[in-house]
Amino acid sequence: MRLLGVLGGMSWTSTAEYYRLLNHGVAARLGGLHSARLLLHSVDFGPVAAMQHDGDWRGTADVLVEAAQGLQRGGAEGLLLATNTMHKVADEVEAASGIPLLHIADATAARVLADGRSTVGLLATAFTMEQDFYVGRLREHGLDVLVPDEQERADVHRIIYDELCLDVVRDESRERYREVMASLAQRGAEAVILGCTEIGLLVGDGDSPVPLYDTAAVHAEQAVDWMLSG
């Protein structure tokens, strides 16, 4: 089994879910007491989140490059960035580490296309919904990507940072996400991508009129395939 380096902590709530998914996936494939071979570097999200909101992406890249290089020195053969938003600096992290990075948008696009869908809604942080690093990558794969309107994007973003990243799950926030997903479906979305790794902690298939793609689950499955293909 290949040794996977995980860049986590952004936030710890979704990283904990990644750890469960990766180990569950390996155990399901190999059986018995098998578990995933992982090196985890969990960053302090407070300074990283502040840099995100200040637009200091160079600073966030520096944090993750240092962490990724440490994982590489520790023997990691590949990297998993356990967050959608920080894929904004994925190319810099991969280049500086010298080992392959499993890109969450590529894994998600492949799954959507394999299911025969081409038009998707996207729920994520404002950075991920509004900047091209993620939406553009999905579109390069041939997907038509719809994002919520301005007020909906603000609500989705606020709930992620003020609640889900703090391990807070509220019924009223679930209802707001249901409204946003219904709106995306009415606009023509054949499915909705949960493009922030915390969102799966709040909503599931029963909350949406169209199928959901939980990027953390899709990403973890891709990582299990990679670990076991060596």
Side-chain angles (χ1 to χ4, degrees):
M1 192 190 313
R2 288 168 167 168
L3 181 62
L4 179 66
V6 179
L7 293 163
M10 301 162 283
S11 65
W12 72 263
T13 55
S14 66
T15 301
E17 179 66 4
Y18 261 99
Y19 187 76
R20 186 190 70 81
L21 289 167
L22 290 166
N23 282 287
H24 185 272
V26 168
R29 294 272 291 273
L30 299 183
L33 296 176
H34 285 288
S35 55
R37 293 186 66 229
L38 305 171
L39 284 178
L40 170 63
H41 185 122
S42 186
V43 306
D44 178 4
F45 191 35
V48 172
M51 286 186 282
Q52 290 175 340
H53 286 89
D54 288 342
D56 183 11
W57 297 102
R58 180 67 263 164
T60 67
D62 290 344
V63 170
L64 293 186
V65 162
E66 181 180 9
Q69 290 174 336
L71 292 172
Q72 186 274 332
R73 290 193 297 270
E77 300 166 76
L79 294 174
L80 182 146
L81 188 49
T83 161
N84 283 276
T85 298
M86 289 313 304
H87 276 73
K88 181 174 175 69
V89 298
D91 291 344
E92 295 96 310
V93 171
E94 182 173 34
S97 69
I99 53 178
L101 183 145
L102 308 178
H103 201 291
I104 195 168
D106 294 344
T108 301
R111 178 64 58 80
V112 173
L113 292 168
D115 290 343
R117 300 185 173 102
S118 60
T119 302
V120 294
L122 175 65
L123 298 184
T125 66
F127 312 115
T128 304
M129 290 186 287
E130 296 171 2
Q131 298 182 27
D132 191 59
F133 71 92
Y134 195 90
V135 173
R137 188 135 180 164
L138 293 175
R139 288 174 175 157
E140 287 174 3
H141 285 280
L143 293 177
D144 185 13
V145 183
L146 307 176
V147 298
D149 67 27
E150 184 176 1
Q151 184 57 59
E152 291 172 337
R153 293 197 304 273
D155 290 342
V156 168
H157 181 91
R158 175 188 57 78
I159 289 166
I160 290 168
Y161 278 92
D162 293 353
E163 299 175 21
L164 301 180
C165 288
L166 301 175
D167 202 26
V168 174
V169 176
R170 294 183 172 140
D171 289 339
E172 57 267 34
S173 296
R174 181 178 296 108
E175 184 56 37
R176 180 56 173 150
Y177 269 54
R178 287 171 175 165
E179 293 171 356
V180 175
M181 291 188 291
S183 176
L184 289 168
Q186 289 171 358
R187 290 169 51 198
E190 301 167 301
V192 172
I193 292 174
L194 305 184
C196 178
T197 53
E198 286 83 15
I199 297 177
L201 305 174
L202 180 66
V203 297
D205 288 329
D207 297 303
S208 172
V210 294
L212 299 180
Y213 288 89
D214 183 341
T215 53
V218 173
H219 201 199
E221 186 173 338
Q222 178 205 41
V224 171
D225 289 341
W226 179 86
M227 284 190 285
L228 298 181
S229 67

